[in-house]
Amino acid sequence: MRQRIDVGGSHGYPLFLGVPLEELGSYLENRYGAKGHYLVITNPIIADLYSEKLMEGLKNFRTDLITVPDSEEEKSLDRISKLTEQALRCRADRDTMVLALGGGVIGDLAGFFASIFVRGIRYIHIPTTLLAQIDSSIGGKVAVNHPSGKNLLGSFYPPQAVWTDYSTLTTLPWEEIQNGLAETIKHALVADSMLFEFIEDHTADILNRDPKIMKELAMRSMAVKVKIVTEDEKEKGNRILLNLGHSFGHALETDAKYKGVSHGQGVSIGLVAIANLAFERNLLSEKQLVRIVDLLEKLGLPTYITDSDPQSLLQHMLVDKKNKAGNKILILPVGIGKSSIATDCEDEEIVRAWKKIMK
Ligand code: NAD
Ligand code: GLY
């Protein structure tokens, strides 16, 4: 079933859900006219699987396709510079629209490119991973990584629309579904205890990738994100809560130099670390802590670290976009389905949380 959900903010935009890739062309023609230059940015794996379908619908337009190697390491300024050269070779200009076809890496990179190329051109997200469909394509955050920190260079730059074809998930490997599940559990912990219970009650269906359950899970997870980013587009208030688990997770990703630890794995381990810290502060009961760890484990997500150095991870956490006036800002779970902002976490407390999850 097709659905449309509108995301509010300074520049609202529609999420089109359950729409075929090949129909994007006719939407563009109706919405923006018969002429135009479209620059599809994707990676070789996704291009092999889906560019033909997408291009079929775009055949009346001048269209170019650029592929970026498939890696989190490509979310870099170096790649932005290469994209600029490639876009200029395709005669891209201020009227060009970027179509970001892929997961969160392509979405963040192509969106950031769109935000700065000739001072900003329009773009549309076409998310092809669970994580991108329920999280990264919604809310207008675009960024690249820096050796010093994850997503350190970026902007709030909303897309014109999000075009979500759920059928792309059929080719997504299970470990990539798991990465998306880590973010749905985060959404549940931040703001929706019923969603947490839904995931607990349906772990077997999720492991079987039951389409009906996966769709409901995606819809409920998206609803959490849409509500929060509509109320607080630029992270002046409650949007920061969506970073639950991310300070720890980003430290792991940065420490691994953006290879070896996926974003979803980082979030999963980060949720367990912050849950331990919240337990120590009596914000979570032991039963709630166990429920969180159990759920992540049942879904096959990682919940501990083995050979990392807590002090070095702590250093990475000192370079975090959320920090203010030298204070680390951490998001803490308060029970299940509620979260709060802490500005008073001591280094020792953070190191203890890392040590708690070390095996
Ligand atoms: P990803 O983009 O690396 O995609 C995961 C893998 O799946 C890649 O190998 C990709 O080639 C492959 N793939 C994508 N679609 C496929 C399909 N339909 N079939 C088969 N293979 C497919 O990873 P991700 O988990 O989607 O995104 C992680 C990124 O998202 C991180 O960089 C993270 O920082 C970012 N993120 C951004 C936001 C935001 O608000 N902007 C939110 C959450 C995460
Ligand atoms: N992923 C956190 C946010 O979009 O705000």
Side-chain angles (χ1 to χ4, degrees):
M1 194 184 61
R2 291 168 191 237
Q3 276 173 297
R4 174 184 169 142
I5 298 175
D6 287 287
V7 182
S10 60
H11 162 103
Y13 51 94
L15 308 182
F16 295 106
L17 307 170
V19 283
L21 289 180
E22 53 273 40
E23 287 185 19
L24 177 60
S26 47
Y27 166 74
L28 294 173
E29 194 164 336
N30 290 334
R31 175 75 181 77
Y32 301 103
K35 289 203 178 108
H37 177 223
Y38 291 94
L39 189 61
V40 179
I41 301 182
T42 188
N43 76 30
I45 294 176
I46 304 160
D48 272 358
L49 290 165
Y50 297 112
S51 65
E52 210 177 297
K53 261 189 171 179
L54 181 68
M55 292 308 219
E56 166 67 23
L58 297 172
K59 58 180 185 285
N60 295 335
F61 298 108
R62 185 163 79 82
T63 310
D64 288 286
L65 182 139
I66 296 178
T67 58
V68 170
D70 180 22
S71 166
E72 175 78 36
E73 286 174 279
E74 295 297 330
K75 254 180 70 173
S76 67
L77 273 187
D78 192 34
R79 180 51 59 185
I80 291 286
S81 171
K82 288 185 184 125
L83 278 177
T84 306
E85 286 158 22
Q86 289 169 297
L88 290 173
R89 277 202 294 278
C90 300
R91 292 179 291 122
D93 61 23
R94 283 193 164 152
D95 291 330
T96 296
M97 195 174 326
V98 167
L99 303 179
L101 173 68
V105 166
I106 289 293
D108 279 12
L109 173 74
F112 185 57
F113 170 74
S115 78
I116 53 175
F117 181 70
V118 295
R119 296 216 165 89
I121 59 176
R122 297 165 301 171
Y123 76 110
I124 287 180
H125 277 302
I126 312 171
T128 62
T129 62
L130 178 64
L131 183 142
Q133 294 183 356
I134 57 107
D135 189 351
S136 62
S137 66
I138 306 167
K141 275 189 183 175
V142 293
V144 295
N145 301 322
H146 185 272
S148 303
K150 175 92 175 153
N151 295 335
L152 267 191
L153 303 164
S155 31
F156 291 98
Y157 193 68
Q160 297 299 306
V162 179
W163 193 264
T164 298
D165 180 342
Y166 292 122
S167 75
T168 56
L169 297 186
T170 54
T171 55
L172 195 64
W174 170 245
E175 58 272 24
E176 297 303 340
I177 297 282
Q178 285 173 308
N179 287 328
L181 293 173
E183 298 282 20
T184 62
I185 292 174
K186 176 201 74 178
H187 285 161
L189 283 171
V190 165
D192 190 346
S193 61
M194 305 279 280
L195 174 57
F196 194 89
E197 282 167 27
F198 176 83
I199 304 172
E200 285 182 319
D201 291 345
H202 292 92
T203 43
D205 302 314
I206 294 170
L207 291 169
N208 288 327
R209 297 174 73 158
D210 177 312
K212 197 164 153 262
I213 297 299
M214 292 307 284
K215 182 103 166 282
E216 180 162 357
L217 181 68
M219 288 304 301
R220 290 172 74 157
S221 182
M222 267 183 236
V224 171
K225 177 112 193 207
V226 169
K227 181 169 186 298
I228 293 181
V229 302
T230 294
E231 286 165 2
D232 177 24
E233 182 188 8
K234 300 244 166 105
E235 205 163 289
K236 304 274 186 226
N238 275 350
R239 181 167 182 174
I240 200 167
L241 301 175
L242 291 173
N243 292 294
L244 180 72
H246 281 56
S247 303
F248 285 86
H250 282 175
L252 282 171
E253 285 188 78
T254 307
D255 203 53
K257 301 191 168 52
Y258 309 117
K259 27 183 199 220
V261 179
S262 70
H263 181 69
Q265 290 168 337
V267 169
S268 176
I269 295 170
L271 289 175
V272 181
I274 199 67
N276 272 286
L277 197 152
F279 169 63
E280 203 181 279
R281 287 187 170 210
N282 292 320
L283 296 172
L284 274 187
S285 67
E286 187 167 5
K287 197 168 160 219
Q288 289 166 329
L289 173 63
V290 169
R291 272 176 76 192
I292 295 170
V293 178
D294 270 4
L295 186 57
L296 292 164
E297 282 181 348
K298 275 191 189 140
L299 293 170
L301 281 157
T303 53
Y304 58 87
I305 51 174
T306 44
D307 52 4
S308 308
D309 169 18
Q311 285 299 339
S312 132
L313 293 169
L314 174 69
Q315 290 313 307
H316 291 305
M317 292 170 81
L318 303 179
V319 186
D320 187 313
K321 298 177 296 304
K322 295 186 293 305
N323 294 346
K324 272 193 192 147
N327 288 326
K328 283 179 293 306
I329 300 203
L330 290 183
I331 311 307
L332 304 182
V334 181
I336 286 178
K338 215 171 145 223
S339 44
S340 68
I341 303 168
T343 52
D344 60 347
C345 289
E346 301 291 341
D347 290 356
E348 298 72 42
E349 216 180 347
I350 292 174
V351 169
R352 269 202 306 282
W354 280 122
K355 287 187 175 161
K356 277 262 175 63
I357 62 161
M358 188 167 280
K359 277 201 180 164

